[in-house]
Amino acid sequence: MKDKHIETLCLQGGYNPGNGQPRQLPIVQSTTFRYETSADMAKLFDLESNEYMYSRLANPTCDQVAQKIAALEGGSAAMLTSSGQAANFYAVFNIASAGDHIVASSTIYGGTFNLFSVTMKRMGIDFTFVDPDCTAEALDAAFRPNTKAVFGETIANPALTVLDIEKFARAAHEHGVPLIVDNTFATPINCRPFEWGADIVTHSTTKYMEGHAATIGGCIVDSGKFDWTKYPDKFPGLCTPDDSYHGVTYTEKFGLEGAFITKAVAQLMRDFGSTPSPHSAFLLNLGLESLHVRVERHCANALKMAQFLKASDKISWVSYPGLAGDKYYELACKYLPKGTCGVISFGVKGGRQAAESFMGHLKLASIETHVADSRTCCLHPASSTHRQMNDEQLLAAGVSPDLIRLSVGLENADDLIADVENALAQI
Ligand SMILES: *Cc1c(COP(=O)(O)O)cnc(C)c1O
């Protein structure tokens, strides 16, 4: 299946039924799995067998969906998590502990910014946030001897900055650490970060992947290419024995292709348990079956909307990386030639008050925290997702107080534009 196009993988990646088996992915709604002998069971606890034992760690339905996402990203292994937050937490915590340091783009999603700068800081992990547009020298200066990874978003939510993945990968690799890229907004349909040097990809599958605003979920994919064994002192968790599994060394036993994900499942899923339900994984899989069709339409509708907004005299600014003239248009052409995403941000003339009035007059676009949904929705981040930030942090995150985030859905583009036009006329 690996040689197939991405559209085919959306439908037929992952689950591959044998003769007489169900055509659609079976939901294995079982917490536990039966074995004949205690010796069979012992093998599972020694990581000597990859059969299933308990659905907190792994479940066949979830695994098959993870394998589909691994195929879409061109990775070697993947795991589902119960949310995008859990995916980003696990991806970083799998290689960083108290006393370690991470370099991250300052424009990342507000929830991730909070996870890093507040909660993970409490765990003793330090973060340096860098402007994603900084020079190679400034990026280089952010590293410390205890830096364990670099983190960014392909297209940032909601700042819509496009990450120069090659620049970030080069800096990470020069310092002997992996680049983790949250690819939620781009999806592998529009960008596959591994092809540009990223080492680990994360997703909030809650967004385009599931696509219907029905299920929260996340995913971590490993490229299998980062050589942890070159830096055993930096990554002892991957390169030295794990006492909680009778001295297994992940890189030795599972190779570069399997070490990162196996460790994350065996340790973090075991201990934190942010497990998706098999039914949620099934719904995610239904979404993935049409991902390539939906993403293309989201992008086409959003481009039309962005062009309309750009031409409107009620709008003070528009940010959409797919729009010619946008600050990130060149980077988008390089990394996202097929399209960017369905999300646009813009400012209404008249600032915060006009923004709130405008949103109140929308009929088709509803006010929601959600984004990247099949139905059009919008949000004012400064008073919601980013309200924990002060003005300085807002600015650094690329979120101005008047910013409206419009997530363009799959409705008819002319209907959506008429809705926005009507609301603008009533401010
Ligand atoms: C939504 C989002 C997350 C968090 O995902 P949840 O599924 O809501 O936990 C992380 N990163 C990005 C880019 C997001 O858009």
Side-chain angles (χ1 to χ4, degrees):
M1 197 63 74
K2 275 223 164 89
D3 57 329
K4 297 289 185 287
H5 290 92
I6 200 156
E7 295 83 355
T8 305
L9 296 174
C10 281
L11 277 304
Q12 303 212 14
Y15 175 60
N16 185 18
N19 193 31
Q21 289 184 341
R23 185 67 195 92
Q24 183 52 282
L25 173 68
I27 303 174
V28 180
Q29 192 70 46
S30 183
T31 59
T32 191
F33 300 82
R34 180 186 169 272
Y35 290 94
E36 299 283 333
T37 68
S38 298
D40 290 342
M41 197 65 169
K43 275 192 203 149
L44 295 166
F45 279 91
D46 284 349
L47 301 181
E48 288 293 338
S49 156
N50 57 7
E51 298 294 314
Y52 294 93
M53 59 167 146
Y54 190 53
S55 286
R56 171 161 26 90
L57 281 99
N59 168 280
T61 307
C62 300
D63 271 3
Q64 273 146 355
V65 181
Q67 276 160 28
K68 176 180 282 189
I69 298 175
L72 293 175
E73 287 288 3
S76 65
M79 68 192 280
L80 297 189
T81 56
S82 56
S83 68
Q85 287 299 103
N88 283 328
F89 171 53
Y90 282 18
V92 173
F93 201 64
N94 205 31
I95 44 176
S97 307
D100 289 339
H101 171 257
I102 304 289
V103 175
S105 160
S106 62
T107 59
I108 52 173
Y109 172 65
T112 312
F113 182 84
N114 205 63
L115 167 70
F116 288 174
S117 62
V118 180
T119 302
M120 291 186 77
K121 197 168 167 55
R122 275 177 52 212
M123 298 172 154
I125 301 172
D126 249 342
F127 290 82
T128 297
F129 295 97
V130 294
D131 181 342
D133 305 331
C134 69
T135 62
E137 291 71 33
L139 187 51
D140 186 64
F143 286 81
R144 299 181 196 164
N146 58 342
T147 301
K148 294 299 168 76
V150 178
F151 185 97
E153 290 173 12
T154 312
I155 305 174
N157 172 15
L160 302 179
T161 55
V162 174
L163 191 74
D164 188 342
I165 302 174
E166 283 189 318
K167 177 178 80 179
F168 274 71
R170 204 177 304 122
H173 297 160
E174 273 169 12
H175 291 270
V177 302
L179 172 63
I180 304 172
V181 172
D182 181 331
N183 198 32
T184 297
F185 266 25
T187 82
I189 303 302
N190 284 344
C191 178
R192 306 212 302 172
F194 294 154
E195 292 171 0
W196 301 100
D199 303 287
I200 289 150
V201 158
T202 59
H203 282 280
S204 165
T205 61
T206 314
K207 315 295 166 55
Y208 292 116
M209 280 193 166
E210 192 275 340
H212 300 80
T215 321
I216 303 281
C219 186
I220 308 173
V221 190
D222 181 15
S223 66
K225 296 211 183 95
F226 190 82
D227 191 352
W228 312 101
T229 62
K230 270 168 79 179
Y231 315 99
D233 296 341
K234 268 196 211 295
F235 305 108
L238 284 151
C239 303
T240 54
D242 176 359
D243 290 337
S244 69
Y245 282 104
H246 298 299
V248 162
T249 298
Y250 292 98
T251 43
E252 271 173 23
K253 188 151 179 84
F254 302 101
L256 297 184
E257 294 76 25
F260 186 86
I261 294 295
T262 307
K263 177 179 181 292
V265 170
Q267 295 178 340
L268 302 183
M269 213 42 123
R270 177 195 63 190
D271 296 349
F272 292 117
S274 316
T275 318
S277 79
H279 186 256
S280 297
F282 175 84
L283 292 175
L284 168 57
N285 191 54
L286 284 185
L288 290 171
E289 291 187 353
S290 61
L291 182 66
H292 54 303
V293 183
R294 289 184 291 104
V295 163
E296 192 181 323
R297 179 65 67 86
H298 276 292
C299 293
N301 279 358
L303 184 58
K304 277 190 198 162
M305 179 66 83
Q307 285 162 343
F308 163 78
L309 291 168
K310 181 92 188 165
S312 165
D313 59 5
K314 306 261 178 161
I315 301 296
S316 46
W317 57 272
V318 180
S319 170
Y320 183 66
L323 192 64
D326 187 86
K327 186 177 172 198
Y328 294 95
Y329 184 67
E330 260 93 69
L331 281 176
C333 288
K334 173 175 174 178
Y335 291 109
L336 303 135
K338 291 205 286 187
T340 54
C341 64
V343 182
I344 303 170
S345 54
F346 61 95
V348 179
K349 281 183 187 162
R352 187 184 282 253
Q353 230 171 1
E356 282 174 18
S357 156
F358 162 74
M359 284 175 49
H361 285 107
L362 289 168
K363 299 225 157 47
L364 287 176
S366 54
I367 300 174
E368 295 170 23
T369 322
H370 200 43
V371 71
D373 176 4
S374 50
R375 286 157 294 256
T376 297
C377 55
C378 66
L379 183 79
H380 183 227
S383 61
S384 53
T385 46
H386 286 59
R387 63 181 297 128
Q388 77 282 4
M389 290 189 179
N390 61 35
D391 279 3
E392 208 173 56
Q393 288 172 326
L394 274 180
L395 220 63
V399 180
S400 59
D402 64 341
L403 184 151
I404 293 172
R405 181 180 76 183
L406 181 67
S407 175
V408 181
L410 302 175
E411 302 93 337
N412 178 284
D414 295 335
D415 287 347
L416 294 175
I417 289 171
D419 188 37
V420 167
E421 196 168 21
N422 174 59
L424 286 173
Q426 295 189 55
I427 295 175

